Amino acid sequence: MFFNTLPFIFFFGVIFSLYYLLPSRFRANVLLVFSLIFFISNSLLFIFVILFLVLLDYYTIKLFNKRQSFKKTVLIFSISVNLIFLTLFKYINFLFTSLNSIGINFFVNIPQTFYEVFIPLGFSFFVFKSISLLVDSFRDTLKEKPTLRDLFLYFLFFPSVLSGPIDRPGALLKQFGNINDDFSNNIKTGLSFILLGYIKKSVIADRLSFFVDLTYGNIDNSSWLQILVAVVFYSFQIYLDFSGYSDMALGFARMLGIDIMQNFEKPYFSKSIQDFWKKWHVSLSTWLRDYLFLPLAYSSTRVLYRFRITPKSIEKFSYVYSILITMFLAGLWHGANSTFVLWGLIMGVYIVLSFLTRKQRSRFKKFTGLNRHKSFVSVFQTVFLFIIVSFAWIFFRAQSADEAVKIASKLLFPDFGGSNLFLLNTGKVSAEFSVYYPFALIAFIVLIEKYNLRERILYVFDNHGVIFRYALIIIMILFILFAGNFSANQFIYFKF
Amino acid sequence: MINKRTKIFLGLILLVSLFVFINGKIPVIGRNFLYEEKDFSDGKKRMFSDLYRFCRVEYFREEIPYVSNPGNQNFPDSSEIFVFGDSYFNTMMDTINVPLALQNITGKKICNASEYKGMVLSSPISFLKRNNIKPGRRRIMVVETSERYSYNSALKLYLKQNDHFTFFHFKFQLSKYLRFDDLDYWLSNSVFTEMFINRKAGFYFNNFGVISSEISEFSMSPKFLFYSEETNFNNMRKPESEISSISDNVNKLAEILDRDYNMSLIYLIIPNKFTLYGKYADSSYVYDNYIPKVYSRLNNNTNAVNLYELYSKLKESNPADYLYFTSDTHFNLRGREIAINEIIKRINKIYNEKQDNGK
């Protein structure tokens, strides 16, 4: 049962109405009960693993208070247990296969049933949340020690349990005991995010997927132009799919008076790759920054200061080293597959190059007088960023590294010799629907984002009467139902 | 704060949501609102074909008279023939299911192993083990599989010795109560949503050629819908080594049944609809000869029924005499009749051989 299915809407209807109809002291309990049902309906037996890990975290935090001397050991132990589980569920097959391919054979055969039964949806998100909780508790940045109920809610809160956002414990835990009671504002803001989420996911992303799947599934017979269109479509598909999910999560949480992190802040309007990563999957990128990049950078800087190296070189080396490790692990976090690792490394290289060339680029702009044409530079930067990010997405989407290289080389070294530049064979689906309609949808979403239409509609909403408001909501719902594709397309990020 | 009007509004949301849940989860109630059961003015019970249900395009609408099957549960111990099959054998809508038909024709007690006591078993051997069947008088095991499932079942499942309890079954049983597929089914097939879903499907199909993703191919004339699972299977590369393993496993199954249970195997693969009629949708389609390849490596003791060969001949001699429903995955009465006749021939042959040996 996912957000983009009809049963979920009615499931939410039950939660939402009970939540506000019952006395406020029951609200957190209502959330916990329905979050458990939601989780179990998606990942049945895995609940036992989750229960174990939540209890482990709970008692670890308790031990932090009692045994100050063992704090670090306890922290390392608990994080290790989390990581062992993550490895067991996500990476063990990849590890053994990789080792087998280089001649190291393990006589361990993990039965398929294991994976069939324990398919842990959203486990990577769970582990990152858990590490956040443990580290923040270790650093004493949590104002209050969480109760067991709140801890379960922190991990299992249904809007964010499957694909995040990876909320910080401090921000989320305090809300469960003090839920925002502004009913009309909760509804209005929540609904606006939910509707936008459905437009992104069901109306646009799932329409783009047809052409993307068709082309990526048949690279050998696809022309340069067709691959180019598919690569562009995929850049939008992954953004709209994931940000659509995040908007829905945010909207459903908001309707219940709980604020969760906004995961996307119009990343494709960024001007640099660093800027992009501040706006793309914000909860993950800030997590990586706080719990991986900064500790790595500090520790490497400390080590390098022992040698006679200039502070500038230390800064450069430590940045490059920490970024590459962080982005490598970010790639690996997405999945046990060389394509994700390559994607992470490509992104890491982009960031490093951008960091190392920032002075030269600034000098170049001055030298050529480009710094006087800010709007031109701004457009160029946005387009250039979109191109390089789209190139990286090829590795993210391809089934294998070989396939990604094939797509990239077909794209970079086009063969225009063929009789038809656009070898489009979309079966019986018309070209208008498979190519031109998605382009129109992309233009539509770009306009929504560029001109902040969600906020504008909210403004209009506030300044009109009840009939207008209801009519507006009904029209939008009917539009989504009619234009949307609801044939059970899962969210791309669920597999992570 | 929540005022009285808001409370009424919330109460309505709760009622509507609970109404949906009750109808989705309790079929006896939910059935009253399913559109296909309300749609027939003559009062006779019919069902829509499975592929039409997926796509909801009026042009392909096909109604199949529905006959409910009486219980067909003979105890394994007292049965002469066991039938282990999939939906081709068990979910015939317009007539009684195949095991029951075989029982009526042969007069032998037949145990429908694939749905015995609601068990979900993947292997005939584990069925026999679970029911503690001992080798006694000569008996027969009919194993049927549709072409698209034949690969995995023969490759991975048939020789499984133990299906008693696995996490998979545990999960399956629990999932029935915790999943919301039934809700989804009710919502998309109820009288409340029918008009909207059908109109939307019609609009996208008529204007853009868009059809549900479950339908990977279709032809307008003759009318045919093809299920994506079938076309995916037909287009999948099948290594010769694996095809050999499939045949080897079926041969081995026959051997184990004979040696350990004193049973004869009758094995049959029902061809995919796309195998026979795929050319109507895609004129360049060439069948990879998967079934003939498997059958060419089967031993005589598998008593294999080569429906592909029979169907192909019939199709050639009379192309308009369709053996499958046009918008359902399964064979129609004609296709079913041919399959039953062939199985009966094998059953008679086995019993005749038994009598000869007895003499």
Side-chain angles (χ1 to χ4, degrees):
Chain A
M1 186 172 51
F2 304 125
F3 294 165
N4 58 337
T5 59
L6 278 175
F8 178 80
I9 302 298
F10 293 95
F11 176 76
F12 184 73
V14 175
I15 305 173
F16 177 68
S17 44
L18 283 179
Y19 187 77
Y20 284 107
L21 284 171
L22 289 172
S24 54
R25 65 177 184 281
F26 293 124
R27 285 185 185 167
N29 296 328
V30 169
L31 276 189
L32 182 60
V33 169
F34 283 95
S35 292
L36 271 168
I37 295 173
F38 181 76
F39 186 85
I40 290 172
S41 77
N42 285 309
S43 244
L44 185 62
L45 294 179
F46 192 62
I47 189 71
F48 298 114
V49 179
I50 294 290
L51 292 179
F52 168 73
L53 289 176
V54 175
L55 287 173
L56 176 78
D57 284 4
Y58 179 70
Y59 286 107
T60 303
I61 295 169
K62 277 200 154 185
L63 270 178
F64 283 162
N65 289 345
K66 287 182 183 165
R67 301 276 174 101
Q68 289 292 326
S69 50
F70 289 120
K71 240 177 144 180
K72 204 166 187 178
T73 319
V74 173
L75 174 77
I76 292 169
F77 172 77
S78 290
I79 291 181
S80 306
V81 172
N82 272 282
L83 292 177
I84 287 168
F85 271 95
L86 183 65
T87 311
L88 189 66
F89 289 119
K90 265 192 102 166
Y91 302 110
I92 201 93
N93 246 5
F94 175 64
L95 193 71
F96 285 171
T97 319
S98 305
L99 289 171
N100 278 341
S101 66
I102 55 167
I104 304 169
N105 292 311
F106 280 86
F107 298 102
V108 181
N109 184 19
I110 299 163
Q112 188 58 31
T113 322
F114 180 85
Y115 292 101
E116 282 169 1
V117 174
F118 294 103
I119 293 178
L121 275 179
F123 192 51
S124 315
F125 292 91
F126 176 91
V127 169
F128 272 29
K129 272 181 160 180
S130 177
I131 293 174
S132 267
L133 177 79
L134 292 169
V135 173
D136 288 5
S137 305
F138 175 79
R139 290 174 181 164
D140 281 330
T141 50
L142 284 185
K143 282 184 183 158
E144 283 174 33
K145 297 292 167 233
T147 62
L148 191 56
R149 184 200 67 188
D150 288 354
L151 213 54
F152 272 113
L153 260 180
Y154 168 65
F155 284 110
L156 295 176
F157 183 46
F158 73 91
S160 58
V161 70
L162 296 180
S163 289
I166 308 162
D167 272 291
R168 297 306 167 80
L172 200 55
L173 282 167
K174 67 179 179 199
Q175 295 187 63
F176 294 132
N178 184 25
I179 288 165
N180 168 6
D181 214 5
D182 185 355
F183 182 76
S184 71
N185 195 40
N186 288 346
I187 298 254
K188 194 179 62 182
T189 320
L191 203 58
S192 72
F193 273 109
I194 292 169
L195 293 176
L196 181 63
Y198 278 111
I199 289 176
K200 284 180 175 176
K201 166 66 181 165
S202 303
V203 177
I204 311 181
D206 287 347
R207 292 288 177 208
L208 296 175
S209 66
F210 173 76
F211 191 82
V212 173
D213 294 346
L214 188 82
T215 309
Y216 272 84
N218 196 7
I219 289 299
D220 289 331
N221 298 321
S222 298
S223 69
W224 173 79
L225 190 58
Q226 190 167 339
I227 293 174
L228 180 69
V229 171
V231 169
V232 171
F233 277 10
Y234 185 68
S235 296
F236 281 99
Q237 188 199 344
I238 183 135
Y239 165 60
L240 295 168
D241 190 283
F242 194 22
S243 75
Y245 162 82
S246 300
D247 285 345
M248 287 181 215
L250 200 144
F252 287 120
R254 189 58 199 264
M255 281 185 81
L256 301 169
I258 289 169
D259 274 319
I260 57 174
M261 216 167 178
Q262 196 159 350
N263 238 348
F264 293 86
E265 292 166 14
K266 303 169 193 168
Y268 285 146
F269 289 115
S270 306
K271 305 278 179 280
S272 69
I273 191 74
Q274 283 96 338
D275 193 22
F276 173 82
W277 273 103
K278 280 178 195 152
K279 296 171 177 176
W280 179 275
H281 202 174
V282 179
S283 65
L284 175 70
S285 54
T286 50
W287 192 98
L288 291 171
R289 182 196 64 201
D290 295 346
Y291 299 103
L292 198 60
F293 172 76
L294 289 175
L296 274 173
Y298 291 141
S299 60
S300 59
T301 309
R302 270 203 302 273
V303 171
L304 288 169
Y305 265 116
R306 290 183 201 156
F307 303 97
R308 287 184 180 178
I309 311 172
T310 59
K312 267 191 180 176
S313 306
I314 290 176
E315 187 203 352
K316 270 186 190 170
F317 182 83
S318 152
Y319 184 87
V320 170
Y321 161 81
S322 310
I323 277 291
L324 288 179
I325 299 272
T326 304
M327 293 314 288
F328 167 79
L329 290 173
L332 197 62
W333 176 85
H334 282 89
N337 194 326
S338 53
T339 51
F340 295 124
V341 173
L342 282 170
W343 168 81
L345 285 174
I346 290 171
M347 284 293 187
V349 169
Y350 287 164
I351 298 171
V352 166
L353 285 177
S354 169
F355 172 73
L356 294 178
T357 61
R358 63 196 194 283
K359 277 187 186 161
Q360 288 83 341
R361 282 184 288 125
S362 177
R363 265 186 238 142
F364 178 77
K365 271 193 262 175
K366 255 188 195 170
F367 177 72
T368 53
L370 277 172
N371 52 356
R372 288 196 297 275
H373 305 280
K374 285 204 170 111
S375 54
F376 170 76
V377 173
S378 169
V379 171
F380 175 81
Q381 284 174 324
T382 305
V383 173
F384 182 73
L385 181 86
F386 182 77
I387 292 170
I388 61 167
V389 169
S390 298
F391 180 80
W393 288 131
I394 294 174
F395 289 81
F396 198 88
R397 172 62 177 78
Q399 294 297 318
S400 65
D402 287 345
E403 190 187 278
V405 171
K406 195 193 277 181
I407 296 166
S409 52
K410 267 195 132 179
L411 207 57
L412 294 173
F413 308 105
D415 173 20
F416 295 121
S419 57
N420 193 349
L421 195 57
F422 209 119
L423 290 172
L424 186 65
N425 181 8
T426 53
K428 292 175 176 71
V429 179
S430 67
E432 289 84 4
F433 193 79
S434 47
V435 184
Y436 308 129
Y437 178 54
F439 268 121
L441 292 173
I442 288 172
F444 174 59
I445 198 68
V446 169
L447 286 178
I448 288 183
E449 298 230 318
K450 178 81 185 160
Y451 297 104
N452 294 324
L453 283 190
R454 192 189 67 81
E455 286 86 347
R456 282 171 192 244
I457 289 173
L458 273 184
Y459 178 77
V460 174
F461 198 84
D462 277 340
N463 290 293
H464 283 79
V466 178
I467 294 174
F468 176 84
R469 292 180 190 187
Y470 281 112
L472 190 67
I473 292 172
I474 289 168
I475 288 169
M476 284 181 76
I477 291 173
L478 284 176
F479 167 72
I480 290 166
L481 285 174
F482 192 76
N485 180 6
F486 295 93
S487 52
N489 282 310
Q490 257 203 16
F491 292 91
I492 295 174
Y493 257 70
F494 277 0
K495 63 183 175 208
F496 308 134
Chain B
M1 282 306 290
I2 299 167
N3 58 30
K4 201 177 168 189
R5 221 169 53 182
T6 310
K7 280 186 181 167
I8 294 171
F9 171 68
L10 289 170
L12 279 174
I13 292 181
L14 183 63
L15 279 178
V16 171
S17 304
L18 288 176
F19 175 77
V20 170
F21 267 82
I22 289 166
N23 279 291
K25 284 280 169 199
I26 307 172
V28 186
I29 301 172
R31 197 171 289 150
N32 296 306
F33 299 100
L34 289 180
Y35 76 95
E36 67 184 332
E37 308 222 2
K38 291 268 167 206
D39 211 43
F40 307 113
S41 51
D42 59 5
K44 285 182 185 162
K45 203 169 182 186
R46 287 175 220 155
M47 300 287 271
F48 288 130
S49 47
D50 56 6
L51 299 177
Y52 167 73
R53 276 169 202 251
F54 284 137
C55 73
R56 308 286 278 271
V57 173
E58 194 60 22
Y59 181 77
F60 293 108
R61 181 173 157 136
E62 191 176 16
E63 296 164 4
I64 303 171
Y66 180 80
V67 175
S68 60
N69 274 291
N72 168 23
Q73 281 316 342
N74 292 313
F75 289 109
D77 261 352
S78 59
S79 299
E80 292 289 310
I81 300 171
F82 298 90
V83 179
F84 196 90
D86 56 26
S87 61
Y88 278 86
F89 268 31
N90 289 303
T91 55
M92 292 302 295
M93 290 187 288
D94 52 349
T95 184
I96 53 171
N97 64 31
V98 174
L100 204 53
L102 287 173
Q103 179 165 279
N104 291 348
I105 297 168
T106 59
K108 310 270 182 201
K109 272 193 171 179
I110 290 187
C111 176
N112 191 351
S114 39
E115 60 176 28
Y116 182 66
K117 286 184 184 168
M119 285 180 217
V120 187
L121 298 173
S122 50
S123 151
I125 304 273
S126 70
F127 171 82
L128 297 172
K129 282 203 162 180
R130 189 183 172 97
N131 288 289
N132 202 21
I133 304 292
K134 302 279 181 230
R137 60 198 184 283
R138 190 76 180 164
R139 290 190 277 193
I140 293 172
M141 168 74 80
V142 181
V143 173
E144 171 270 326
T145 170
S146 59
E147 187 180 355
R148 68 180 191 276
Y149 296 142
S150 63
Y151 204 77
N152 274 338
S153 47
L155 213 54
K156 293 178 186 164
L157 305 174
Y158 280 167
L159 298 179
K160 258 169 78 173
Q161 295 286 311
N162 194 339
D163 239 347
H164 286 201
F165 175 85
T166 65
F167 277 122
F168 181 75
H169 291 133
F170 178 54
K171 186 187 174 192
F172 181 83
Q173 292 298 332
L174 266 179
S175 301
K176 280 202 292 196
Y177 303 103
L178 292 166
R179 293 189 71 89
F180 292 89
D181 307 8
D182 38 11
L183 226 67
D184 203 19
Y185 177 82
W186 185 82
L187 278 165
S188 48
N189 290 285
S190 78
V191 286
F192 307 108
T193 55
E194 175 234 342
M195 196 175 79
F196 182 81
I197 292 177
N198 288 0
R199 294 249 166 111
K200 182 179 165 183
F203 172 83
Y204 280 101
F205 181 76
N206 297 332
N207 293 294
F208 306 113
V210 176
I211 198 160
S212 156
S213 57
E214 283 99 347
I215 312 295
S216 50
E217 296 280 358
F218 62 88
S219 73
M220 301 292 281
S221 180
K223 262 187 212 178
F224 267 119
L225 292 178
F226 297 102
Y227 190 25
S228 56
E229 271 188 17
E230 285 195 355
T231 51
N232 290 344
F233 178 83
N234 282 43
N235 294 326
M236 178 180 95
R237 203 181 66 83
K238 305 168 191 85
E240 289 295 321
S241 58
E242 291 202 344
I243 292 179
S244 291
S245 301
I246 288 167
S247 307
D248 289 348
N249 284 356
V250 176
N251 290 334
K252 205 165 177 186
L253 177 67
E255 202 184 301
I256 294 170
L257 288 174
D258 184 41
R259 188 189 61 218
D260 298 347
Y261 297 96
N262 194 24
M263 271 186 198
S264 301
L265 172 69
I266 297 175
Y267 179 69
L268 72 156
I269 297 177
I270 315 259
N272 285 339
K273 189 163 94 174
F274 193 72
T275 300
L276 289 166
Y277 301 108
K279 265 195 181 300
Y280 290 136
D282 176 3
S283 55
S284 64
Y285 173 67
V286 180
Y287 182 49
D288 62 3
N289 275 325
Y290 163 72
I291 296 180
K293 281 180 189 170
V294 172
Y295 273 61
S296 68
R297 292 160 198 179
L298 291 179
N299 294 339
N300 282 341
N301 63 351
T302 60
N303 297 299
V305 177
N306 195 340
L307 278 184
Y308 170 72
E309 204 177 284
L310 286 165
Y311 284 0
S312 301
K313 276 181 192 160
L314 278 168
K315 195 188 134 219
E316 216 165 281
S317 60
N318 189 1
D321 184 13
Y322 301 128
L323 302 162
Y324 289 69
F325 291 111
T326 60
S327 62
D328 193 280
T329 339
H330 301 93
F331 50 29
N332 58 18
L333 280 178
R334 179 98 177 91
R336 171 183 174 275
E337 189 192 338
I338 294 163
I340 289 177
N341 286 341
E342 287 304 309
I343 295 168
I344 299 280
K345 277 184 200 166
R346 298 296 188 285
I347 291 173
N348 289 337
K349 193 182 139 212
I350 290 164
Y351 278 113
N352 289 339
E353 278 170 8
K354 188 178 133 186
Q355 276 179 353
D356 291 346
N357 291 341
K359 280 173 193 171

